[in-house]
């Protein structure tokens, strides 16, 4: 995943994703400077979707006037069904991802479990998921399904099933989503179907999408580590370096 080139195709935003209108000056600065920060860590070809890693170096730290705004995006909600780790962990990694994104799957299978073992389990790190579907209707359906699984405390299992090797090639039509829910051990499938199609799921998805677009996210996977942008599925070392640096800064 350290290649500087990708074969990813440029795609447009989904029709349901609408950038949030920003009125406050500070928020507008976060949008503008956040976009610059994301682009500074992106692969050289600037392909806007499903990017590969550009190398092993961690992202450059955002400017101080942007950092606080980006750090404030960590929700730290004790009841967040799409998060893992202590709400008061000193480091929060926010992940903007799409279930149809191959590099997101690579991160989910190879990198995230290592971060959980090394940092989440000892209380250093919290990982907060943001649904950021950019590959069309099936991406959005998978995002709503993941949220619905989370309402029955099965988000992590659904996430693992959806990102398993070969899973995205099977698509995310409704029968496949129901199959994944059963594989994930969702106990009440009828409730799952209702939640998946409900207004609350749509609102949660919209909130995540608007947040991502507001700060300049245009590709998946994209990350913030205590407000520090990392674009693309970088190698494990890039994440460990960013987490270690953020943890040290949090102690000061």
């Amino acid at each position: 995943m350290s290649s500087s080139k990708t074969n990813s195709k440029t795609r447009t935003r989904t029709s349901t994703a609408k950038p949030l209108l920003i009125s406050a000056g500070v928020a507008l600065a976060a949008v503008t400077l956040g976009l610059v920060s994301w682009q500074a860590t992106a692969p050289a070809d600037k392909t806007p979707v499903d990017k590969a890693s550009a190398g092993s170096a961690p992202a450059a730290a955002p400017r101080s006037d942007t950092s606080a705004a980006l750090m404030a995006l960590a929700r730290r909600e004790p009841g967040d069904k799409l998060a893992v780790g202590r709400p008061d962990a000193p480091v929060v990694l926010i992940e903007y991802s799409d279930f149809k994104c191959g590099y997101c799957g690579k991160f989910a299978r190879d990198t995230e479990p290592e971060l959980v073992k090394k940092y989440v389990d000892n209380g250093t790190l919290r990982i907060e998921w943001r649904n950021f579907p950019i590959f069309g209707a099936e991406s959005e359906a998978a995002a709503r399904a993941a949220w619905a699984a989370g309402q029955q405390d099965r988000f992590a299992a659904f996430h693992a099933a959806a990102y398993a090797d070969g899973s995205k090639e099977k698509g995310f039509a409704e029968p496949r989503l129901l199959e994944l829910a059963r594989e994930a051990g969702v106990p009440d499938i009828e409730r799952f179907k209702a939640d998946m199609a409900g207004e609350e799921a749509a609102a949660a998805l919209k909130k995540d999408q608007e947040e991502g677009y507001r700060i300049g996210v245009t590709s998946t996977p994209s990350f913030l580590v205590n407000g520090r942008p990392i674009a693309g599925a970088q190698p494990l070392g890039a994440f460990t370096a960013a987490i270690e640096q953020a943890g040290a800064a949090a102690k000061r």
Side-chain angles (χ1 to χ4, degrees):
M1 293 300 296
S2 61
S3 171
S4 62
K5 297 183 180 179
T6 80
N7 293 321
S8 304
K9 295 181 179 179
T10 301
R11 299 173 188 260
T12 58
R13 298 175 182 174
T14 56
S15 60
T16 59
K18 299 178 181 178
L20 186 66
L21 296 177
I22 304 298
S23 57
V26 173
L28 182 57
V31 175
T32 304
L33 298 174
L35 178 57
V36 172
S37 297
W38 288 109
Q39 291 176 340
T41 67
D45 67 358
K46 300 295 190 295
T47 304
V49 169
D50 192 13
K51 295 175 183 173
S53 163
S56 60
R63 283 175 45 173
S64 58
D65 54 353
T66 308
S67 182
L70 294 178
M71 284 185 69
L73 293 174
R75 297 171 187 171
R76 295 185 178 274
E77 297 170 357
D80 189 343
K81 302 289 190 179
L82 277 62
V84 61
R86 290 169 31 188
D88 63 346
V91 182
V92 178
L93 183 152
I94 302 174
E95 176 184 355
Y96 300 87
S97 285
D98 184 320
F99 284 102
K100 291 195 73 175
C101 162
Y103 292 118
C104 299
K106 178 71 172 173
F107 173 82
R109 292 188 298 272
D110 298 345
T111 304
E112 190 168 20
E114 296 301 315
L115 299 181
V116 170
K117 285 191 294 184
K118 187 170 184 177
Y119 298 109
V120 174
D121 289 349
N122 71 9
T124 299
L125 180 67
R126 175 177 174 84
I127 300 176
E128 296 185 355
W129 172 272
R130 302 288 190 266
N131 275 308
F132 199 70
I134 52 178
F135 287 102
E138 284 199 358
S139 289
E140 295 194 4
R144 291 193 298 270
W147 183 90
Q151 303 318 293
Q152 299 186 55
D153 297 316
R154 303 306 296 166
F155 171 76
F158 184 94
H159 175 278
Y163 276 137
D165 268 326
S167 181
K168 79 182 184 74
E169 285 74 19
K170 297 178 181 179
F172 293 111
E174 184 170 343
R176 173 62 178 156
L177 294 174
L178 295 177
E179 179 184 341
L180 288 170
R182 294 186 182 96
E183 184 178 340
V186 174
D188 187 339
I189 294 298
E190 291 305 312
R191 177 189 170 189
F192 170 80
K193 289 194 291 186
D195 284 344
M196 185 170 56
E199 292 182 3
E200 195 173 354
L205 173 56
K206 182 179 180 182
K207 179 181 179 181
D208 287 355
Q209 287 178 309
E210 288 182 338
E211 177 183 294
Y213 285 129
R214 186 170 75 244
I215 63 171
V217 177
T218 57
S219 66
T220 57
S222 289
F223 308 88
L224 291 172
V225 177
N226 274 15
R228 185 175 187 172
I230 297 180
Q234 302 279 347
L236 177 62
F239 290 96
T240 57
I243 292 166
E244 294 283 353
Q245 290 168 15
K251 293 178 181 178
R252 293 200 291 267

